[in-house]
Amino acid sequence: MAKRPTIEQLARESGVSVATVDRVLNRRLPVRPETAGRVHEAALRIGFHAAGLIGQRLKAEATEHRFGVLLLGTGSQFYARFAREIEAAAQDFRCHCLIDHVSPRDPADTVAKLEAMAAKTQAVALVAPEHPSLSAAMERLKERGVPVFALLSDFAPAARQGYVGVHNGKVGRTAAWMIAKCARRPGKVALFVGNHRFHGHELREIGFRAFFREEAPDFSVLDTVVNFESREITHGALLDLHARHPDLVGAYVAGGGMEGAVSALRAMEAACRPVTVCNEITADSRAALAEKLLTMVIATPLELLCRELLPLMARAAKGEAAAPSQVFLPFDIYLPESV
């Protein structure tokens, strides 16, 4: 009696790896439609025992999901790249994503765009600060059965479906560790956040200050500066702090506005620049690392985030088992010698 075709044979026949065949069979990770179709055709040719199952899954997955994603401002390199990663992941996951942008300083606009997008999609994910009007809107959507995910910074935990992003407390501690290790001597340290309503920025501040209290008490963290993620505000504030505090040895930009810190550092003499850490790798932050203006950049793994997010949204939209309350991704670290 002839032996049944094996997974290894199916992989050779379809021209893919055994791991890819396993992904098609068990839906462990998304596979491009054309690749899955090639595996199905090969399974039919060689009489693979699960050919029918593969065909059923391809048919079921062909149903198009429609998701919505709300990101912050259109002028940011980081959010422009975020949008591109969402589009790439949506193509692989065989779904359609509507992407729009909101202002963190206009909660009414965020609520309006969230509700409009929820009316056209099966699930929504967004970056937003904590605000009562947004929490109320999330409660209304939850009652209507529309799952909403928080990205990068958690908010409305009682109403949102889940959070996907890095562990912001650990990000803050990592930034503090680097400054404490690299500063020429103990001294004062500046801290910038975009908005106190961003839970993620608050957690970074907590982790940052906690590290210095616990591990480097000879350093003194100055009062937090709210920069509204503005490069102009960050530039002026860092130069002012540098002028008023000759013992300023470090600075951490916990949100946006990094470009202003870089331009301020460029205006200082190299010997007295504070050790500076910021978040997110962009063309500007990469160039600043190469110039050794920045000491470290802590970055969100956007490609991984998007590929984790879309399957969670699909399962939530179909009413399957609840998604994890929080999905913490490992953050990336960039140094002058690694760019």
Side-chain angles (χ1 to χ4, degrees), residues 178 238 251-253 258-259 261-263 265 273-282 284-298 334-337:
M178 180 57 79
L238 184 54
Y252 174 41
V253 183
M258 169 275 303
E259 301 87 351
V262 170
S263 61
L265 292 168
R273 287 172 184 151
V275 173
T276 304
V277 176
C278 72
N279 290 88
E280 308 311 349
I281 194 71
T282 65
D284 287 341
S285 61
R286 190 181 293 274
L289 283 169
E291 287 184 61
K292 294 184 169 55
L293 295 171
L294 295 177
T295 302
M296 180 172 69
V297 173
I298 305 173
Y334 292 82
L335 303 171
E337 301 305 320

PDB file of all heavy atoms in Angstrom, residues 178 238 251-253 258-259 261-263 265 273-282 284-298 334-337:
ATOM      1  N   MET A 178      20.608  54.019  30.966  1.00  0.00           N
ATOM      2  CA  MET A 178      21.612  54.467  30.000  1.00  0.00           C
ATOM      3  C   MET A 178      22.203  55.817  30.404  1.00  0.00           C
ATOM      4  O   MET A 178      23.419  56.034  30.321  1.00  0.00           O
ATOM      5  CB  MET A 178      21.000  54.545  28.606  1.00  0.00           C
ATOM      6  CG  MET A 178      21.969  54.995  27.525  1.00  0.00           C
ATOM      7  SD  MET A 178      23.459  53.962  27.385  1.00  0.00           S
ATOM      8  CE  MET A 178      22.804  52.556  26.475  1.00  0.00           C
ATOM      9  N   LEU A 238      14.991  72.689  26.086  1.00  0.00           N
ATOM     10  CA  LEU A 238      16.267  72.036  26.403  1.00  0.00           C
ATOM     11  C   LEU A 238      17.403  73.060  26.448  1.00  0.00           C
ATOM     12  O   LEU A 238      18.272  72.998  27.333  1.00  0.00           O
ATOM     13  CB  LEU A 238      16.571  70.940  25.377  1.00  0.00           C
ATOM     14  CG  LEU A 238      17.840  70.116  25.645  1.00  0.00           C
ATOM     15  CD1 LEU A 238      17.820  69.513  27.045  1.00  0.00           C
ATOM     16  CD2 LEU A 238      17.993  69.017  24.602  1.00  0.00           C
ATOM     17  N   ALA A 251      19.176  63.943  29.449  1.00  0.00           N
ATOM     18  CA  ALA A 251      17.831  64.342  29.013  1.00  0.00           C
ATOM     19  C   ALA A 251      17.159  63.147  28.373  1.00  0.00           C
ATOM     20  O   ALA A 251      17.797  62.367  27.646  1.00  0.00           O
ATOM     21  CB  ALA A 251      17.902  65.498  28.023  1.00  0.00           C
ATOM     22  N   TYR A 252      15.872  63.011  28.650  1.00  0.00           N
ATOM     23  CA  TYR A 252      15.086  61.928  28.053  1.00  0.00           C
ATOM     24  C   TYR A 252      13.812  62.519  27.475  1.00  0.00           C
ATOM     25  O   TYR A 252      13.026  63.156  28.189  1.00  0.00           O
ATOM     26  CB  TYR A 252      14.740  60.868  29.095  1.00  0.00           C
ATOM     27  CG  TYR A 252      13.812  59.780  28.598  1.00  0.00           C
ATOM     28  CD1 TYR A 252      13.955  59.230  27.327  1.00  0.00           C
ATOM     29  CD2 TYR A 252      12.777  59.293  29.412  1.00  0.00           C
ATOM     30  CE1 TYR A 252      13.097  58.237  26.875  1.00  0.00           C
ATOM     31  CE2 TYR A 252      11.933  58.295  28.973  1.00  0.00           C
ATOM     32  CZ  TYR A 252      12.089  57.774  27.700  1.00  0.00           C
ATOM     33  OH  TYR A 252      11.247  56.784  27.239  1.00  0.00           O
ATOM     34  N   VAL A 253      13.610  62.333  26.168  1.00  0.00           N
ATOM     35  CA  VAL A 253      12.381  62.750  25.493  1.00  0.00           C
ATOM     36  C   VAL A 253      11.500  61.510  25.407  1.00  0.00           C
ATOM     37  O   VAL A 253      11.715  60.630  24.570  1.00  0.00           O
ATOM     38  CB  VAL A 253      12.672  63.333  24.098  1.00  0.00           C
ATOM     39  CG1 VAL A 253      11.372  63.831  23.457  1.00  0.00           C
ATOM     40  CG2 VAL A 253      13.675  64.472  24.194  1.00  0.00           C
ATOM     41  N   MET A 258      11.427  64.801  19.480  1.00  0.00           N
ATOM     42  CA  MET A 258      12.843  64.455  19.477  1.00  0.00           C
ATOM     43  C   MET A 258      13.666  65.361  18.564  1.00  0.00           C
ATOM     44  O   MET A 258      14.805  65.724  18.874  1.00  0.00           O
ATOM     45  CB  MET A 258      12.990  62.989  19.066  1.00  0.00           C
ATOM     46  CG  MET A 258      14.382  62.515  18.749  1.00  0.00           C
ATOM     47  SD  MET A 258      14.921  62.832  17.049  1.00  0.00           S
ATOM     48  CE  MET A 258      13.640  62.011  16.126  1.00  0.00           C
ATOM     49  N   GLU A 259      13.089  65.769  17.434  1.00  0.00           N
ATOM     50  CA  GLU A 259      13.839  66.589  16.474  1.00  0.00           C
ATOM     51  C   GLU A 259      14.304  67.907  17.114  1.00  0.00           C
ATOM     52  O   GLU A 259      15.385  68.417  16.797  1.00  0.00           O
ATOM     53  CB  GLU A 259      12.991  66.882  15.243  1.00  0.00           C
ATOM     54  CG  GLU A 259      12.527  65.627  14.505  1.00  0.00           C
ATOM     55  CD  GLU A 259      11.220  65.056  15.046  1.00  0.00           C
ATOM     56  OE1 GLU A 259      10.747  65.525  16.111  1.00  0.00           O
ATOM     57  OE2 GLU A 259      10.679  64.136  14.402  1.00  0.00           O
ATOM     58  N   ALA A 261      15.033  68.325  20.316  1.00  0.00           N
ATOM     59  CA  ALA A 261      16.162  68.012  21.197  1.00  0.00           C
ATOM     60  C   ALA A 261      17.440  67.888  20.389  1.00  0.00           C
ATOM     61  O   ALA A 261      18.505  68.370  20.798  1.00  0.00           O
ATOM     62  CB  ALA A 261      15.883  66.726  21.967  1.00  0.00           C
ATOM     63  N   VAL A 262      17.365  67.266  19.219  1.00  0.00           N
ATOM     64  CA  VAL A 262      18.551  67.088  18.369  1.00  0.00           C
ATOM     65  C   VAL A 262      19.090  68.446  17.912  1.00  0.00           C
ATOM     66  O   VAL A 262      20.299  68.701  17.953  1.00  0.00           O
ATOM     67  CB  VAL A 262      18.212  66.190  17.163  1.00  0.00           C
ATOM     68  CG1 VAL A 262      19.343  66.201  16.141  1.00  0.00           C
ATOM     69  CG2 VAL A 262      17.929  64.769  17.627  1.00  0.00           C
ATOM     70  N   SER A 263      18.204  69.331  17.484  1.00  0.00           N
ATOM     71  CA  SER A 263      18.675  70.650  17.035  1.00  0.00           C
ATOM     72  C   SER A 263      19.271  71.440  18.190  1.00  0.00           C
ATOM     73  O   SER A 263      20.239  72.192  18.014  1.00  0.00           O
ATOM     74  CB  SER A 263      17.532  71.431  16.378  1.00  0.00           C
ATOM     75  OG  SER A 263      16.465  71.656  17.292  1.00  0.00           O
ATOM     76  N   LEU A 265      20.836  70.074  20.833  1.00  0.00           N
ATOM     77  CA  LEU A 265      22.133  69.446  21.099  1.00  0.00           C
ATOM     78  C   LEU A 265      23.175  69.895  20.084  1.00  0.00           C
ATOM     79  O   LEU A 265      24.342  70.123  20.430  1.00  0.00           O
ATOM     80  CB  LEU A 265      21.991  67.922  21.056  1.00  0.00           C
ATOM     81  CG  LEU A 265      21.177  67.282  22.180  1.00  0.00           C
ATOM     82  CD1 LEU A 265      20.865  65.826  21.844  1.00  0.00           C
ATOM     83  CD2 LEU A 265      21.920  67.379  23.508  1.00  0.00           C
ATOM     84  N   ARG A 273      27.366  68.656  26.134  1.00  0.00           N
ATOM     85  CA  ARG A 273      26.054  68.119  25.763  1.00  0.00           C
ATOM     86  C   ARG A 273      25.596  67.075  26.773  1.00  0.00           C
ATOM     87  O   ARG A 273      26.381  66.210  27.163  1.00  0.00           O
ATOM     88  CB  ARG A 273      26.110  67.469  24.382  1.00  0.00           C
ATOM     89  CG  ARG A 273      26.220  68.433  23.228  1.00  0.00           C
ATOM     90  CD  ARG A 273      26.455  67.683  21.936  1.00  0.00           C
ATOM     91  NE  ARG A 273      26.668  68.594  20.813  1.00  0.00           N
ATOM     92  CZ  ARG A 273      27.401  68.307  19.743  1.00  0.00           C
ATOM     93  NH1 ARG A 273      27.991  67.111  19.650  1.00  0.00           N
ATOM     94  NH2 ARG A 273      27.554  69.188  18.784  1.00  0.00           N
ATOM     95  N   PRO A 274      24.331  67.113  27.193  1.00  0.00           N
ATOM     96  CA  PRO A 274      23.836  66.064  28.079  1.00  0.00           C
ATOM     97  C   PRO A 274      23.658  64.752  27.319  1.00  0.00           C
ATOM     98  O   PRO A 274      23.366  64.752  26.116  1.00  0.00           O
ATOM     99  CB  PRO A 274      22.489  66.616  28.558  1.00  0.00           C
ATOM    100  CG  PRO A 274      22.050  67.546  27.466  1.00  0.00           C
ATOM    101  CD  PRO A 274      23.314  68.141  26.909  1.00  0.00           C
ATOM    102  N   VAL A 275      23.840  63.649  28.015  1.00  0.00           N
ATOM    103  CA  VAL A 275      23.520  62.333  27.456  1.00  0.00           C
ATOM    104  C   VAL A 275      22.022  62.319  27.185  1.00  0.00           C
ATOM    105  O   VAL A 275      21.214  62.567  28.091  1.00  0.00           O
ATOM    106  CB  VAL A 275      23.891  61.218  28.449  1.00  0.00           C
ATOM    107  CG1 VAL A 275      23.402  59.869  27.946  1.00  0.00           C
ATOM    108  CG2 VAL A 275      25.388  61.206  28.680  1.00  0.00           C
ATOM    109  N   THR A 276      21.629  62.044  25.940  1.00  0.00           N
ATOM    110  CA  THR A 276      20.215  62.188  25.564  1.00  0.00           C
ATOM    111  C   THR A 276      19.680  60.901  24.955  1.00  0.00           C
ATOM    112  O   THR A 276      20.306  60.293  24.094  1.00  0.00           O
ATOM    113  CB  THR A 276      20.031  63.349  24.574  1.00  0.00           C
ATOM    114  OG1 THR A 276      20.561  64.544  25.163  1.00  0.00           O
ATOM    115  CG2 THR A 276      18.556  63.571  24.251  1.00  0.00           C
ATOM    116  N   VAL A 277      18.509  60.519  25.431  1.00  0.00           N
ATOM    117  CA  VAL A 277      17.805  59.319  24.967  1.00  0.00           C
ATOM    118  C   VAL A 277      16.439  59.755  24.448  1.00  0.00           C
ATOM    119  O   VAL A 277      15.795  60.634  25.038  1.00  0.00           O
ATOM    120  CB  VAL A 277      17.635  58.291  26.108  1.00  0.00           C
ATOM    121  CG1 VAL A 277      16.825  57.082  25.638  1.00  0.00           C
ATOM    122  CG2 VAL A 277      18.992  57.852  26.641  1.00  0.00           C
ATOM    123  N   CYS A 278      15.998  59.165  23.354  1.00  0.00           N
ATOM    124  CA  CYS A 278      14.658  59.456  22.850  1.00  0.00           C
ATOM    125  C   CYS A 278      14.006  58.167  22.379  1.00  0.00           C
ATOM    126  O   CYS A 278      14.598  57.090  22.457  1.00  0.00           O
ATOM    127  CB  CYS A 278      14.699  60.496  21.734  1.00  0.00           C
ATOM    128  SG  CYS A 278      15.384  59.883  20.189  1.00  0.00           S
ATOM    129  N   ASN A 279      12.788  58.290  21.922  1.00  0.00           N
ATOM    130  CA  ASN A 279      12.021  57.134  21.468  1.00  0.00           C
ATOM    131  C   ASN A 279      11.762  57.205  19.971  1.00  0.00           C
ATOM    132  O   ASN A 279      11.557  58.283  19.421  1.00  0.00           O
ATOM    133  CB  ASN A 279      10.677  57.051  22.209  1.00  0.00           C
ATOM    134  CG  ASN A 279      10.855  56.669  23.660  1.00  0.00           C
ATOM    135  OD1 ASN A 279      11.041  57.523  24.512  1.00  0.00           O
ATOM    136  ND2 ASN A 279      10.837  55.378  23.931  1.00  0.00           N
ATOM    137  N   GLU A 280      11.765  56.044  19.350  1.00  0.00           N
ATOM    138  CA  GLU A 280      11.386  55.764  17.953  1.00  0.00           C
ATOM    139  C   GLU A 280      12.494  56.094  16.970  1.00  0.00           C
ATOM    140  O   GLU A 280      13.053  57.190  16.966  1.00  0.00           O
ATOM    141  CB  GLU A 280      10.084  56.464  17.565  1.00  0.00           C
ATOM    142  CG  GLU A 280       8.929  56.204  18.522  1.00  0.00           C
ATOM    143  CD  GLU A 280       8.696  54.723  18.861  1.00  0.00           C
ATOM    144  OE1 GLU A 280       9.279  53.829  18.214  1.00  0.00           O
ATOM    145  OE2 GLU A 280       7.931  54.451  19.789  1.00  0.00           O
ATOM    146  N   ILE A 281      12.765  55.114  16.143  1.00  0.00           N
ATOM    147  CA  ILE A 281      13.800  55.247  15.121  1.00  0.00           C
ATOM    148  C   ILE A 281      13.185  55.820  13.844  1.00  0.00           C
ATOM    149  O   ILE A 281      12.197  55.298  13.314  1.00  0.00           O
ATOM    150  CB  ILE A 281      14.506  53.891  14.859  1.00  0.00           C
ATOM    151  CG1 ILE A 281      15.781  54.098  14.057  1.00  0.00           C
ATOM    152  CG2 ILE A 281      13.565  52.879  14.225  1.00  0.00           C
ATOM    153  CD1 ILE A 281      16.879  54.761  14.833  1.00  0.00           C
ATOM    154  N   THR A 282      13.714  56.931  13.398  1.00  0.00           N
ATOM    155  CA  THR A 282      13.286  57.600  12.170  1.00  0.00           C
ATOM    156  C   THR A 282      14.546  58.017  11.422  1.00  0.00           C
ATOM    157  O   THR A 282      15.669  57.827  11.905  1.00  0.00           O
ATOM    158  CB  THR A 282      12.441  58.846  12.471  1.00  0.00           C
ATOM    159  OG1 THR A 282      13.275  59.811  13.145  1.00  0.00           O
ATOM    160  CG2 THR A 282      11.245  58.515  13.365  1.00  0.00           C
ATOM    161  N   ASP A 284      15.557  60.995  11.106  1.00  0.00           N
ATOM    162  CA  ASP A 284      16.195  62.022  11.923  1.00  0.00           C
ATOM    163  C   ASP A 284      16.922  61.434  13.125  1.00  0.00           C
ATOM    164  O   ASP A 284      18.060  61.823  13.429  1.00  0.00           O
ATOM    165  CB  ASP A 284      15.162  63.044  12.403  1.00  0.00           C
ATOM    166  CG  ASP A 284      14.694  63.969  11.294  1.00  0.00           C
ATOM    167  OD1 ASP A 284      15.402  64.078  10.281  1.00  0.00           O
ATOM    168  OD2 ASP A 284      13.610  64.571  11.443  1.00  0.00           O
ATOM    169  N   SER A 285      16.287  60.514  13.829  1.00  0.00           N
ATOM    170  CA  SER A 285      16.942  59.941  15.016  1.00  0.00           C
ATOM    171  C   SER A 285      18.118  59.053  14.613  1.00  0.00           C
ATOM    172  O   SER A 285      19.138  58.997  15.305  1.00  0.00           O
ATOM    173  CB  SER A 285      15.944  59.166  15.878  1.00  0.00           C
ATOM    174  OG  SER A 285      15.361  58.088  15.179  1.00  0.00           O
ATOM    175  N   ARG A 286      17.988  58.369  13.485  1.00  0.00           N
ATOM    176  CA  ARG A 286      19.110  57.551  12.999  1.00  0.00           C
ATOM    177  C   ARG A 286      20.317  58.441  12.664  1.00  0.00           C
ATOM    178  O   ARG A 286      21.456  58.124  13.010  1.00  0.00           O
ATOM    179  CB  ARG A 286      18.673  56.754  11.767  1.00  0.00           C
ATOM    180  CG  ARG A 286      19.672  55.691  11.330  1.00  0.00           C
ATOM    181  CD  ARG A 286      19.156  54.982  10.077  1.00  0.00           C
ATOM    182  NE  ARG A 286      17.960  54.206  10.352  1.00  0.00           N
ATOM    183  CZ  ARG A 286      17.975  52.954  10.801  1.00  0.00           C
ATOM    184  NH1 ARG A 286      19.138  52.355  11.049  1.00  0.00           N
ATOM    185  NH2 ARG A 286      16.841  52.308  11.002  1.00  0.00           N
ATOM    186  N   ALA A 287      20.059  59.578  12.001  1.00  0.00           N
ATOM    187  CA  ALA A 287      21.143  60.505  11.668  1.00  0.00           C
ATOM    188  C   ALA A 287      21.762  61.090  12.931  1.00  0.00           C
ATOM    189  O   ALA A 287      22.989  61.266  13.014  1.00  0.00           O
ATOM    190  CB  ALA A 287      20.620  61.615  10.767  1.00  0.00           C
ATOM    191  N   ALA A 288      20.929  61.383  13.941  1.00  0.00           N
ATOM    192  CA  ALA A 288      21.447  61.945  15.191  1.00  0.00           C
ATOM    193  C   ALA A 288      22.299  60.939  15.947  1.00  0.00           C
ATOM    194  O   ALA A 288      23.284  61.305  16.602  1.00  0.00           O
ATOM    195  CB  ALA A 288      20.283  62.425  16.059  1.00  0.00           C
ATOM    196  N   LEU A 289      21.956  59.671  15.861  1.00  0.00           N
ATOM    197  CA  LEU A 289      22.805  58.634  16.452  1.00  0.00           C
ATOM    198  C   LEU A 289      24.150  58.578  15.732  1.00  0.00           C
ATOM    199  O   LEU A 289      25.206  58.483  16.365  1.00  0.00           O
ATOM    200  CB  LEU A 289      22.116  57.269  16.370  1.00  0.00           C
ATOM    201  CG  LEU A 289      21.009  56.984  17.379  1.00  0.00           C
ATOM    202  CD1 LEU A 289      20.262  55.709  16.982  1.00  0.00           C
ATOM    203  CD2 LEU A 289      21.568  56.848  18.793  1.00  0.00           C
ATOM    204  N   ALA A 290      24.097  58.625  14.408  1.00  0.00           N
ATOM    205  CA  ALA A 290      25.340  58.568  13.626  1.00  0.00           C
ATOM    206  C   ALA A 290      26.261  59.741  13.956  1.00  0.00           C
ATOM    207  O   ALA A 290      27.490  59.593  13.964  1.00  0.00           O
ATOM    208  CB  ALA A 290      25.021  58.542  12.138  1.00  0.00           C
ATOM    209  N   GLU A 291      25.663  60.910  14.260  1.00  0.00           N
ATOM    210  CA  GLU A 291      26.453  62.093  14.639  1.00  0.00           C
ATOM    211  C   GLU A 291      26.882  62.056  16.102  1.00  0.00           C
ATOM    212  O   GLU A 291      27.589  62.945  16.569  1.00  0.00           O
ATOM    213  CB  GLU A 291      25.640  63.374  14.430  1.00  0.00           C
ATOM    214  CG  GLU A 291      25.444  63.792  12.997  1.00  0.00           C
ATOM    215  CD  GLU A 291      24.708  65.120  12.915  1.00  0.00           C
ATOM    216  OE1 GLU A 291      25.247  66.136  13.435  1.00  0.00           O
ATOM    217  OE2 GLU A 291      23.589  65.145  12.365  1.00  0.00           O
ATOM    218  N   LYS A 292      26.385  61.045  16.827  1.00  0.00           N
ATOM    219  CA  LYS A 292      26.628  60.905  18.264  1.00  0.00           C
ATOM    220  C   LYS A 292      26.025  62.057  19.065  1.00  0.00           C
ATOM    221  O   LYS A 292      26.514  62.406  20.148  1.00  0.00           O
ATOM    222  CB  LYS A 292      28.114  60.745  18.563  1.00  0.00           C
ATOM    223  CG  LYS A 292      28.691  59.430  18.023  1.00  0.00           C
ATOM    224  CD  LYS A 292      30.137  59.235  18.413  1.00  0.00           C
ATOM    225  CE  LYS A 292      30.607  57.822  18.111  1.00  0.00           C
ATOM    226  NZ  LYS A 292      30.423  57.386  16.717  1.00  0.00           N
ATOM    227  N   LEU A 293      24.954  62.641  18.543  1.00  0.00           N
ATOM    228  CA  LEU A 293      24.188  63.625  19.315  1.00  0.00           C
ATOM    229  C   LEU A 293      23.280  62.900  20.301  1.00  0.00           C
ATOM    230  O   LEU A 293      23.088  63.353  21.437  1.00  0.00           O
ATOM    231  CB  LEU A 293      23.357  64.494  18.375  1.00  0.00           C
ATOM    232  CG  LEU A 293      24.148  65.383  17.410  1.00  0.00           C
ATOM    233  CD1 LEU A 293      23.215  66.015  16.384  1.00  0.00           C
ATOM    234  CD2 LEU A 293      24.907  66.456  18.174  1.00  0.00           C
ATOM    235  N   LEU A 294      22.688  61.793  19.871  1.00  0.00           N
ATOM    236  CA  LEU A 294      21.880  60.948  20.747  1.00  0.00           C
ATOM    237  C   LEU A 294      22.722  59.768  21.211  1.00  0.00           C
ATOM    238  O   LEU A 294      23.563  59.252  20.460  1.00  0.00           O
ATOM    239  CB  LEU A 294      20.635  60.436  20.020  1.00  0.00           C
ATOM    240  CG  LEU A 294      19.611  61.480  19.587  1.00  0.00           C
ATOM    241  CD1 LEU A 294      18.473  60.813  18.822  1.00  0.00           C
ATOM    242  CD2 LEU A 294      19.064  62.248  20.797  1.00  0.00           C
ATOM    243  N   THR A 295      22.463  59.328  22.438  1.00  0.00           N
ATOM    244  CA  THR A 295      23.183  58.180  22.993  1.00  0.00           C
ATOM    245  C   THR A 295      22.430  56.883  22.753  1.00  0.00           C
ATOM    246  O   THR A 295      23.041  55.840  22.531  1.00  0.00           O
ATOM    247  CB  THR A 295      23.402  58.384  24.504  1.00  0.00           C
ATOM    248  OG1 THR A 295      24.121  59.596  24.714  1.00  0.00           O
ATOM    249  CG2 THR A 295      24.179  57.221  25.111  1.00  0.00           C
ATOM    250  N   MET A 296      21.113  56.949  22.768  1.00  0.00           N
ATOM    251  CA  MET A 296      20.309  55.747  22.550  1.00  0.00           C
ATOM    252  C   MET A 296      18.924  56.131  22.061  1.00  0.00           C
ATOM    253  O   MET A 296      18.388  57.170  22.441  1.00  0.00           O
ATOM    254  CB  MET A 296      20.184  54.928  23.846  1.00  0.00           C
ATOM    255  CG  MET A 296      19.351  53.653  23.704  1.00  0.00           C
ATOM    256  SD  MET A 296      19.415  52.578  25.170  1.00  0.00           S
ATOM    257  CE  MET A 296      18.502  53.558  26.376  1.00  0.00           C
ATOM    258  N   VAL A 297      18.366  55.282  21.204  1.00  0.00           N
ATOM    259  CA  VAL A 297      16.975  55.401  20.777  1.00  0.00           C
ATOM    260  C   VAL A 297      16.271  54.090  21.122  1.00  0.00           C
ATOM    261  O   VAL A 297      16.762  53.005  20.790  1.00  0.00           O
ATOM    262  CB  VAL A 297      16.865  55.672  19.258  1.00  0.00           C
ATOM    263  CG1 VAL A 297      15.404  55.630  18.816  1.00  0.00           C
ATOM    264  CG2 VAL A 297      17.498  57.012  18.909  1.00  0.00           C
ATOM    265  N   ILE A 298      15.148  54.198  21.809  1.00  0.00           N
ATOM    266  CA  ILE A 298      14.330  53.031  22.161  1.00  0.00           C
ATOM    267  C   ILE A 298      13.143  53.013  21.204  1.00  0.00           C
ATOM    268  O   ILE A 298      12.410  53.997  21.111  1.00  0.00           O
ATOM    269  CB  ILE A 298      13.842  53.106  23.615  1.00  0.00           C
ATOM    270  CG1 ILE A 298      15.034  53.277  24.567  1.00  0.00           C
ATOM    271  CG2 ILE A 298      13.041  51.866  23.981  1.00  0.00           C
ATOM    272  CD1 ILE A 298      14.643  53.532  26.007  1.00  0.00           C
ATOM    273  N   TYR A 334      18.624  51.102  19.741  1.00  0.00           N
ATOM    274  CA  TYR A 334      19.583  51.545  18.729  1.00  0.00           C
ATOM    275  C   TYR A 334      20.638  52.416  19.412  1.00  0.00           C
ATOM    276  O   TYR A 334      20.311  53.302  20.210  1.00  0.00           O
ATOM    277  CB  TYR A 334      18.891  52.353  17.636  1.00  0.00           C
ATOM    278  CG  TYR A 334      17.964  51.547  16.781  1.00  0.00           C
ATOM    279  CD1 TYR A 334      16.661  51.266  17.193  1.00  0.00           C
ATOM    280  CD2 TYR A 334      18.372  51.037  15.536  1.00  0.00           C
ATOM    281  CE1 TYR A 334      15.792  50.510  16.395  1.00  0.00           C
ATOM    282  CE2 TYR A 334      17.529  50.299  14.749  1.00  0.00           C
ATOM    283  CZ  TYR A 334      16.237  50.037  15.185  1.00  0.00           C
ATOM    284  OH  TYR A 334      15.387  49.292  14.394  1.00  0.00           O
ATOM    285  N   LEU A 335      21.902  52.158  19.080  1.00  0.00           N
ATOM    286  CA  LEU A 335      23.033  52.906  19.615  1.00  0.00           C
ATOM    287  C   LEU A 335      23.843  53.496  18.467  1.00  0.00           C
ATOM    288  O   LEU A 335      23.697  53.059  17.309  1.00  0.00           O
ATOM    289  CB  LEU A 335      23.913  51.973  20.446  1.00  0.00           C
ATOM    290  CG  LEU A 335      23.224  51.246  21.606  1.00  0.00           C
ATOM    291  CD1 LEU A 335      24.159  50.197  22.200  1.00  0.00           C
ATOM    292  CD2 LEU A 335      22.781  52.228  22.670  1.00  0.00           C
ATOM    293  N   PRO A 336      24.706  54.471  18.729  1.00  0.00           N
ATOM    294  CA  PRO A 336      25.507  55.049  17.649  1.00  0.00           C
ATOM    295  C   PRO A 336      26.302  54.015  16.847  1.00  0.00           C
ATOM    296  O   PRO A 336      26.499  54.176  15.631  1.00  0.00           O
ATOM    297  CB  PRO A 336      26.436  56.016  18.374  1.00  0.00           C
ATOM    298  CG  PRO A 336      25.665  56.434  19.575  1.00  0.00           C
ATOM    299  CD  PRO A 336      24.911  55.206  20.000  1.00  0.00           C
ATOM    300  N   GLU A 337      26.730  52.947  17.476  1.00  0.00           N
ATOM    301  CA  GLU A 337      27.526  51.944  16.790  1.00  0.00           C
ATOM    302  C   GLU A 337      26.682  50.881  16.079  1.00  0.00           C
ATOM    303  O   GLU A 337      27.228  49.994  15.440  1.00  0.00           O
ATOM    304  CB  GLU A 337      28.484  51.260  17.783  1.00  0.00           C
ATOM    305  CG  GLU A 337      29.452  52.216  18.472  1.00  0.00           C
ATOM    306  CD  GLU A 337      30.268  53.031  17.479  1.00  0.00           C
ATOM    307  OE1 GLU A 337      30.701  52.470  16.448  1.00  0.00           O
ATOM    308  OE2 GLU A 337      30.489  54.242  17.746  1.00  0.00           O
TER     309      GLU A 337
END
